[in-house]
Amino acid sequence: MQPNITIRSATPSDLPFILGLLPSYAEFGLPPWRDADVMVKTDSEVFATALQNGATIFIAEDQAQTPLGFVHLHPGSDHYFKGKQCHISDLIVAPAGRGQGVGKVLMAKAEAWAISEGYERLTLNVFAGNERARKLYEELGFGADVVKYVKEI
């Protein structure tokens, strides 16, 4: 773990922080068929429910207990592979935490938690244009599995 960064489980009181980070998904440029407002609205509903239902969400904080980012995990599935899979559905680092290793600390927590829960692999999705995130995931040992192509018709 990076010095001065701690990880804790999210609580319902973290909802405003999480919701405030959701527009970050559009910072790197979404494909034209994606609507950032729709994504934020949908994710806002998901997180409001998830936090009330005890979802697995971890918050990274600095020494002053200022939240710096979060990771959201849930059971995954794949029809072609046996065994338990954990899916990282969201990872966002706040602007104040970028470049400090917060993403790596959150990913390390996600992996450690998944191992402790008996999962055999971690999965995640990332937008093709999010090169910073893709670089981080590759540095951490993730590799491409299926590449989804889209054509508007």
Side-chain angles (χ1 to χ4, degrees):
M1 208 177 267
Q2 298 289 331
N4 306 324
I5 299 172
T6 58
I7 304 292
R8 64 171 174 80
S9 293
T11 67
S13 66
D14 290 306
L15 185 61
F17 168 69
I18 291 170
L19 296 182
L21 290 182
L22 295 180
S24 298
Y25 282 131
E27 287 179 357
F28 55 85
L30 293 172
W33 50 85
R34 297 282 185 175
D35 184 320
D37 292 335
V38 170
M39 289 177 61
V40 168
K41 180 180 183 298
T42 300
D43 281 350
S44 296
E45 294 166 1
V46 166
F47 279 106
T49 302
L51 283 168
Q52 293 301 324
N53 294 328
T56 304
I57 302 170
F58 295 106
I59 303 287
E61 294 180 329
D62 64 14
Q63 285 183 312
Q65 297 181 324
T66 303
L68 299 174
F70 74 92
V71 63
H72 177 204
L73 309 167
H74 62 86
S77 65
D78 188 313
H79 300 291
Y80 302 103
F81 296 103
K82 302 293 182 212
K84 291 175 65 175
Q85 297 181 63
C86 179
H87 186 74
I88 300 169
S89 59
D90 301 279
L91 171 72
I92 303 178
V93 175
R98 294 180 188 157
Q100 299 179 42
V102 173
K104 286 181 182 178
V105 172
L106 285 165
M107 291 296 289
K109 176 62 176 181
E111 185 171 338
W113 180 86
I115 290 168
S116 75
E117 295 294 314
Y119 289 99
E120 297 173 19
R121 67 185 58 84
L122 282 172
T123 64
L124 56 83
N125 297 318
V126 61
F127 285 109
N130 193 342
E131 293 179 22
R132 184 175 186 162
R134 290 174 51 203
K135 181 180 177 193
L136 170 65
Y137 301 144
E138 289 168 9
E139 286 175 6
L140 296 175
F142 285 79
D145 180 28
V146 174
V147 178
K148 178 180 176 180
Y149 281 77
V150 177
K151 176 182 177 182
E152 282 191 290
I153 54 172

